[in-house]
Every structure is written in C-alpha cells, then in structure tokens.
Amino acid sequence: MNKRLSKLAKITIVINIVLAIIIGSIHSYNVYRIKETNDIIFEKMEEKNVIRDSAIYLLEQEGVDLFLGQELTTIFGLFASILSVFLLYKFSRSVSFFYGFGAAFTGVFTSFLGGFALFYVLLSGKSEISISSERKSFKNEWEKFIYDKSVKE
C-alpha cells in the first residue's frame, strides 16, 4: 500500500478486499449452480424431446431443486466483485481519487456498507496523510540528489 494512505483508509481497503473476495466466491459458487441447472435442463430436454419451459416444468414436478431466475444478478455480482478488488488494488497503489471513487462505487454493489465506508473515507479527507518530502538538512549535494531520486516514484 502507498505510504500516503491513512490508517483508516488502509483498514477500509483491507476490509473491502476481504468482503469482495468472500462475496465473489459466493457468486462463483452460484455460477457453478447455474451451469449445473442448465445441464440438468438440457438432459431433460433431450430425454423427453421437449422445449426448455416444458423441461423446467417437468423437473419442478419431479421435485428437482433448480437454480433459476438469478442468473443476471449472479453474473453482475461476480463482475462487480472482481472489478472492486482490481480498483481497490489500483487505489491502494496510486492513491488516485478516480480509482478510489470507482472502488467505492463498485464497493456499494459488492458490499453495501464497505462501499459507503470507502466513500466516507474518500470524501471526508481522511484518506491521506501529509508526508513532507523535504529533509531539513543534507550533508552535501550528493546526499540531496540521492534522496530526491529515492523519494520520486
């Protein structure tokens, strides 16, 4: 993480990354369930030679547990989780307001409270600490030159 981030910002970023990974893994499992459900439906369609809706109806009559109706939200949630982790990483490295705002925005979709906590940290001005890049005294010009090269990123 960048040294300009405050302790509150670092904690918020870590919590958001952990939440995004947990929620992303739940969405990944749901993607697996969607694939499994589609395989069951296609088998029933081939077995009975019926259309998809009829196969779903037959499977529901047999009491098969189908994961239907949540495909779009599952795919969107997985995408938002991956994007949130990526933007949080970029924000922690560069401390750019745009990466932070993007991470907070996707964080609202990933974990509601984590996104708003990141918005609070960003918009309250508590995300950065001021670091003085000038040292008070240098022994010679060579030490100043080396120090300036090491501080500039």
Side-chain angles (χ1 to χ4, degrees), residues 46-64:
E46 289 176 357
E47 176 187 323
K48 298 290 185 178
N49 198 20
V50 293
I51 62 173
R52 182 177 170 87
D53 292 336
S54 299
I56 291 171
Y57 178 74
L58 289 172
L59 288 167
E60 286 176 346
Q61 293 300 319
E62 293 174 7
V64 177

Side-chain angles (χ1 to χ4, degrees), residues 7-8 13-14 18 20 24 26 28 38 44 51 56 61 66 78 97 100 110 114 117 127 138 147 149 153:
K7 186 175 181 179
L8 179 63
I13 289 170
V14 169
V18 169
I26 292 169
S28 296
N38 282 330
K44 185 58 89 172
I51 62 173
I56 291 171
Q61 293 300 319
L66 300 175
L78 181 62
F97 178 78
T110 304
S127 63
F138 294 104
Y147 179 77
K149 287 292 187 182
E153 294 181 43

Side-chain angles (χ1 to χ4, degrees), residues 98-140:
F98 293 110
Y99 283 131
F101 190 83
F105 186 72
T106 57
V108 168
F109 293 112
T110 304
S111 63
F112 193 70
L113 296 175
F116 279 119
L118 192 56
F119 267 127
Y120 169 74
V121 169
L122 277 175
L123 299 177
S124 68
K126 297 179 180 179
S127 63
E128 292 182 47
I129 56 174
S130 63
I131 296 175
S132 175
S133 62
E134 293 295 319
R135 273 180 64 184
K136 300 298 180 201
S137 65
F138 294 104
K139 293 180 183 175
N140 55 30

